[in-house]
Amino acid sequence: ATESELEAIKTCIPGDTSGYNLYFGFNPAMTENMDLVARIGYSDIENKIGASGIPDFIVEDTAVFLEIGPRAMVSEKLEINGAVSLLSGETKLSADGFGDVIKEDFTRVQYRVGGEYYLTPAISLGLDASFANSGGSNANLHVRYSFGNNK
């Protein structure tokens, strides 16, 4: 089966964080309740960090990614999943009124575990934790909309 999905993300780290992942993938069945998920996509995440009386700092990560991992339906509405991703992109650090201060390219491997609760066959709420080979980690809360082939 193929999938195209859009995720709106809220990251559980300090600051005002928002962003999205847009991807296309294939989900060949491994068993009756488990698929192998392979995706290619684009990610754009922005985090604003500020305090009273000083300009906001904005950190924006944009990247293309490849992701592969299993997902399993443990009940009619609950999915658990995990993945390994290879991301290649750019981090920009800027400050209100100062423009881009730092731009840096990156390539990293990221590991993710999480779950989805399906409100409808096309809409789910998800929670996951990600760990990067560079040492960073975060937790994400998201809404996912699946186009096309819905369970």
Side-chain angles (χ1 to χ4, degrees):
T2 60
E3 70 174 350
S4 296
E5 297 177 336
L6 176 65
E7 291 181 346
I9 300 168
K10 181 65 176 172
T11 301
C12 304
I13 57 177
D16 179 15
T17 303
S18 61
Y20 65 91
N21 290 332
L22 180 61
Y23 49 85
F24 175 80
F26 296 95
N27 306 329
M30 295 169 48
T31 68
E32 185 178 329
N33 293 326
M34 184 180 290
D35 296 338
L36 178 66
V37 177
R39 297 174 174 155
I40 184 169
Y42 176 79
S43 179
D44 188 339
I45 309 295
E46 183 177 281
N47 188 26
K48 290 183 181 182
I49 304 168
S52 180
I54 63 170
D56 286 341
F57 285 95
I58 301 166
V59 180
E60 182 179 17
D61 281 338
T62 55
V64 293
F65 63 88
L66 296 171
E67 181 176 84
I68 190 163
R71 73 175 181 186
M73 296 301 294
V74 294
S75 73
E76 187 176 309
K77 293 189 175 273
L78 185 62
E79 168 193 311
I80 57 171
N81 55 58
V84 175
S85 302
L86 176 63
L87 296 94
S88 182
E90 178 183 73
T91 297
K92 287 192 299 187
L93 172 65
S94 59
D96 284 349
F98 295 97
D100 292 343
V101 178
I102 298 171
K103 287 185 181 181
E104 185 174 301
D105 292 337
F106 68 85
T107 299
R108 70 174 171 251
V109 175
Q110 185 169 292
Y111 308 93
R112 181 183 52 75
V113 294
E116 301 284 329
Y117 180 80
Y118 286 86
L119 303 171
T120 72
I123 299 171
S124 63
L125 298 176
L127 178 64
D128 63 51
S130 298
F131 310 92
N133 66 335
S134 58
S137 64
N138 61 41
N140 300 304
L141 180 62
H142 62 263
V143 176
R144 182 169 77 182
Y145 180 78
S146 300
F147 302 89
N149 186 22
N150 300 314
K151 293 184 178 187

